[in-house]
Amino acid sequence: MTAGDRGVAVVTGASSGIGAATARRLAAEGFRLVVGARRMDRLAEVADPIRARALPLDVTDVESVGRFLAAVTEDGPIHILVNNAGGALGLDPFEMADLERWRWMYGANVLGAVWITQGLLGALEESGDGRVVLVGSIAGFQPYPGGSGYNAAKAAAKAAFEVLRMELLGRPLRVTQVDPGMVETEFSVVRFGGNTVRAGQVYEGVTPLTADDVADCIAWAVTRPSHVDIDQIVVRPRDQASATMVHRRS
Ligand SMILES: NC(=O)c1ccc[n+]([C@@H]2O[C@H](COP(=O)([O-])OP(=O)(O)OC[C@H]3O[C@@H](n4cnc5c(N)ncnc54)[C@H](OP(=O)(O)O)[C@@H]3O)[C@@H](O)[C@H]2O)c1
């Protein structure tokens, strides 16, 4: 590391939304970024201006994750890992839930984050002050009708990373969960299979969080002194009191 260089930060799912904003923000804070996602054209748009290393990554694919981990760890210690890749598919009622969608949500939001973290813990520990961030969701502890598959996945990720914090006690590693409410990104477009009209209705009459608002929380958490562990940040728009209580202006 050189003066003014705060080390390496890895962000998964950095081609849009919260991941892209977090990569930009951490670069501005003085970290060297390594970013991963499936859409390489979109990833390059984020990576090039901040001189980040852009690597293809599908967190649900064994070979892709293997190649990503090998490339990331070849350059030595890692200071920050932001597990952000993920999302929701559909709003299916439990009774008619499509289990393939559940499988994807569990794979991306839970197993993907666990897998990447397992693979990078050694390099994070080597930094002497490794920080792991999980981008969870209020959906992980406030279930809502139609959300069962996504609620279950985010709840599972939350439990797994709480256990990780306990198991890492005594080692130079911290674990932070950042759980946002409504953030206007491509999240709802993906959830509704590309239907932008339906996605737009989610934010109608509401001032949602922006991806930068969440990046701000992540940047704050990972730049606290080494002895300070921020366990969890719950961040919602002022217009949202819970997963199901939203104030809409007509
Ligand atoms: N927006 C919200 O209201 C909200 C609220 C709470 C929590 N969250 C969580 O925040 C995180 C980021 O979502 P976002 O709101 O920023 O949505 P977004 O704009 O759709 O971004 C999702 C990112 O994840 C990446 N991704 C998805 N599947 C992936 C996979 N299999 N492998 C690698 N990358 C993958 C996408 O990139 P590619 O498609 O290029 O792979 C994209 O960069 C997610 O974990 C989401 O669950 C969002």
Side-chain angles (χ1 to χ4, degrees), residues 13-19 37-39 57-60 84-87 104 108-109 135-137 150 154 180-183 185-187 190 203:
S15 60
S16 66
I18 295 167
R38 294 166 302 178
R39 293 169 297 171
L57 172 65
D58 180 345
V59 297
T60 67
N84 166 76
W104 183 86
N109 293 289
V135 179
S137 170
Y150 184 58
K154 286 301 197 190
M182 293 166 89
V183 193
T185 61
E186 293 171 27
F187 175 86
V190 172
Y203 311 106

Side-chain angles (χ1 to χ4, degrees), residues 6 25 48 64 75 104 108 122 144 175 179-180 187 204 206 217 232 238 250:
R6 298 174 91 166
R25 175 63 187 272
D48 292 351
S64 174
D75 288 342
W104 183 86
Y144 50 87
V175 178
D179 294 317
F187 175 86
E204 247 167 39
V206 171
C217 295
Q232 184 185 19
R238 195 184 66 195
S250 48

Side-chain angles (χ1 to χ4, degrees), residues 22-42:
T22 301
R24 291 190 188 105
R25 175 63 187 272
L26 293 180
E29 297 275 348
F31 293 94
R32 279 173 284 136
L33 268 294
V34 181
V35 291
R38 294 166 302 178
R39 293 169 297 171
M40 286 306 286
D41 51 339
R42 294 284 304 275

